[in-house]
Amino acid sequence: MPTRQRLKELMISELMLDMTADEIGDDTPLFGPAGIGLDSVDALQLVVMIEKHFGFKMADQDQAKRILQSVNTIAEAVDQKAAA
């Protein structure tokens, strides 16, 4: 399964989102009113989910802010680590 699709399905199940994977655009912002509307608690759950399922550990809050923008930014970081 492609990383982006897996991320979307994990986000829906782990964050209990009331939407389908098809409703989450690859570039849709994850936080704020213009996007999916996740909050700081969701951000923490996302960090734990990414580490648990992909073995990708974020170094600090700045890195997390850069990576947790959209499904695309998370997938790129996970795929870069996998390729390294």
Side-chain angles (χ1 to χ4, degrees), residues 20-81:
T20 66
D22 292 338
E23 292 177 287
I24 302 174
D26 289 346
D27 288 314
T28 301
L30 299 181
F31 299 90
I36 296 172
L38 300 183
D39 61 20
S40 57
V41 174
D42 295 321
L44 185 59
Q45 289 179 297
L46 258 181
V47 168
V48 171
M49 177 196 89
I50 293 164
E51 186 174 343
K52 181 169 106 182
H53 292 278
F54 297 97
F56 182 88
K57 189 171 175 90
M58 292 184 212
D60 55 39
Q61 193 173 359
D62 289 337
Q63 184 186 36
K65 277 184 183 172
R66 280 195 313 274
I67 291 172
L68 300 179
Q69 297 292 316
S70 68
V71 170
N72 264 342
T73 56
I74 297 170
E76 285 167 12
V78 167
D79 288 343
Q80 280 179 350
K81 182 200 176 282

Side-chain angles (χ1 to χ4, degrees), residues 4-12 17-26 36 71:
R4 283 161 181 75
Q5 185 65 26
R6 186 163 172 227
L7 276 167
K8 291 175 188 181
E9 291 179 10
L10 285 168
M11 285 168 54
I12 289 166
L17 301 178
D18 189 21
M19 56 180 50
T20 66
D22 292 338
E23 292 177 287
I24 302 174
D26 289 346
I36 296 172
V71 170

